[in-house]
Amino acid sequence: MSGDTTDTAYVPPEPPWWRPPRPGRRRQPLSRRAIVDAAVRILDAEGADALTVRRLGEELNTGSATLYWHIGSKEELGELVYDHVMGEVELPEPDPSRWQEQFLDFGRQVYGVMLAHNDLVRFSLGRVPAGPNMLRIIEWSLDLLRQAGVPDQAAAYAGDAFGRFLDASVLEATSRGGPPPEQVGQHFASLPPERFPNLTALLPLLFTGTDEERFEFGLRLLMRGLEGLIDPAP
Amino acid sequence: MSGDTTDTAYVPPEPPWWRPPRPGRRRQPLSRRAIVDAAVRILDAEGADALTVRRLGEELNTGSATLYWHIGSKEELGELVYDHVMGEVELPEPDPSRWQEQFLDFGRQVYGVMLAHNDLVRFSLGRVPAGPNMLRIIEWSLDLLRQAGVPDQAAAYAGDAFGRFLDASVLEATSRGGPPPEQVGQHFASLPPERFPNLTALLPLLFTGTDEERFEFGLRLLMRGLEGLIDPAP
DNA sequence: CATGAATTCGATCATCGATCGAATAAGATC
DNA sequence: GATCTTATTCGATCGATGATCGAATTCATG
C-alpha cells in the first residue's frame, strides 16, 4: 500500500510544509455553462451512463463537491443539458398554408437532434419542459397549430401527445440494453404458429423496419388524427 | 404471543458456541414466482425507487446473494415483474364490427393496469416486450387490427406506436420528481406575454386537464389516424 | 448413511449521488 | 496596502445501490 504511484513515473516527495504550486482557483473560473458543455461532450461520446458527477469532474479537472456548488442536483444538470441541446432546433416562420409539412418537419428535426446526442432522451422523459429553449419550442408549436385552425384545447394537448410519442420513440431507438436483436428474433421465430398465428405470420413485418420508419409511421398517424380536428372557421 | 419475545424485550445472550435454531433453508423454498410477487408488493406500496435488491431480500427474509441465484439481474427482475402484471389485462374476443371501441378500451385498460401499479412503467420503457403475457397481448392486437382491415405493415407498426404513446403517458402521470406543480404554473404565468403570446393565452388550457384527459386525447388522435389506413377489401 | 448437486447466506467490492468543513481566491472597505 | 467579507474550490467521507465470491447448509439420490 506504500508505493502509491499509480501509473508511470515515481515522483519524489516534497517536504509537506512546502506549499504546492498554485493549488487555487482555475485560470478560467467554472461556470454552469462550462459544466453543461462538458456534460454534453461526455454524453455524446460515452452515453448517459458514463455521465456521472465524478466523470464530469474529471473532464473539468475538479471534484464533485465543486460541481455541486454550481448545480443543485444531477437531475437539475439533466434539465440544463436537455434544454441546452434543444437550442439546436431551428424553427421556421409559421406558414399556415403548409402547416402539416412544417409540423412534420419539426417533429423529424427534434427526433434527429435528440438522436444525435446519444441517450439525451433519458433526461427528458417524465419531466416538465420549462427551460428557455423548450418554451420557445412550445410557443412556436402553439402558434403554428392555432394559425392552422386547430382548436385551442387540441393545440394545447397536441404538443404533449406528439412529445410523448417522440420521447418514447427516441428512447426505443437508443436503448442499448436488453438481449441482442438476433436472439429476440430467434425467440419470436420459435413461437408456435397455432397459438400465435398473426404474430408468426407478420414476423418479417415486425422486425424489418428501421427505427426511423416506425417513428415516421406514428408521426403520420398522429398528424392524420390532428387534421381531423381542424376548425374550418379560425 | 406467550413466550414470544417481542422486539422491545431483552433477550439474554446464549453461549456463542450454541448453534442458532435452524439457520438453514426456509420452510417454503424461494422461487422466481415468490420473488416476483414480493417485488410487486413493494412496487405497489412503496414505488420503484424502494424496490431495491436489499429491500426485496428483507421482504423475503433473505439476502441479496440468494436473490441473485434466482434472477440474473435487476433488469431481468424488472422484465419479470412487468410481464407478470400484464397478465391482469383481459382481452375480449375480437369483434371486427366494433374494432375501434375494442382497441380504445384495450388501450384504456393497459393504461389503467400500469397506473394501478405505481412506477411499473419504468420497467417497460425502452425494452423489447417478449414475456408470455406481452406476446398474448401483441397477438391479440394484431388479430383485431387485421380483422378490421388494417394492412399488415400498418398493423405491425400500430401496436408499437400506441405502446410508445401509452408508456410515455403513464410515465408522465406517475413521475413524482421535479418541481411542485404550483411552482411550474407560477413560472409559466410569469412569462412575458409579448414574447410568448400563445403560451400565455392558453395557460389555463395547458394546465387544467387531467392526465387521463390528455391520454384520451392522444389515444383518439392515433385512432383517427389508424382509421384512415383501413383497407376496404380485407 | 454417504455423496454430489442445489440453494442459502454473510461479507465484501466498486460505484454512485451528495454533503461537510476546511482552505483558498476575489472583491470591498478603510 | 492591510483587513475583512464573500464567493468558490477541494479532499475526505457518508449512505445506498447492484453485484459477486466462497463457505456453509440443505435436499435429492443412491
Side-chain angles (χ1 to χ4, degrees), chain A residues 7 12 40-41 54 58 64 78 87-88 96 139 184 201 220 229-230:
Chain A
D7 27 23
V40 172
R41 281 200 301 274
R54 282 173 176 77
E58 184 183 323
S64 53
E88 298 179 12
E139 171 67 20
V184 177
R220 290 176 184 273
L229 299 179
I230 292 280

Side-chain angles (χ1 to χ4, degrees), chain B residues 19 24-25 51-54 64-65 68 73-74:
Chain B
R19 164 179 175 174
R25 158 174 300 207
L51 181 49
T52 69
V53 181
R54 282 172 176 77
S64 54
Y68 275 102
S73 65
K74 200 193 172 183

Side-chain angles (χ1 to χ4, degrees), chain B residues 64-81:
Chain B
S64 54
T66 302
L67 297 175
Y68 275 102
W69 195 92
H70 293 272
I71 63 173
S73 65
K74 200 193 172 183
E75 173 154 340
E76 183 182 312
L77 173 68
E79 294 186 19
L80 291 170
V81 168

Side-chain angles (χ1 to χ4, degrees), chain B residues 73-93:
Chain B
S73 65
K74 200 193 172 183
E75 173 154 340
E76 183 182 312
L77 173 68
E79 294 186 19
L80 291 170
V81 168
Y82 176 70
D83 198 76
H84 177 73
V85 170
M86 280 301 116
E88 297 179 13
V89 176
E90 297 176 5
L91 305 171
E93 192 65 27

Side-chain angles (χ1 to χ4, degrees), chain A residues 125-204:
Chain A
L125 281 159
R127 308 194 194 190
V128 186
N133 281 310
M134 278 309 294
L135 290 181
R136 179 182 63 106
I137 288 177
I138 295 172
E139 171 67 20
W140 181 89
S141 165
L142 290 176
D143 191 17
L144 177 64
L145 294 184
R146 290 180 85 192
Q147 287 193 42
V150 176
D152 283 352
Q153 184 62 268
Y157 282 176
D160 224 39
F162 275 75
R164 293 178 184 190
F165 172 74
L166 205 153
D167 281 355
S169 294
V170 176
L171 184 68
E172 195 117 345
T174 56
S175 68
R176 291 179 294 276
E182 64 216 12
Q183 192 173 349
V184 177
Q186 210 165 7
H187 177 235
F188 275 77
S190 73
L191 297 174
E194 59 273 13
R195 195 187 290 265
F196 300 100
N198 295 281
L199 221 163
T200 48
L202 299 191
L203 257 188

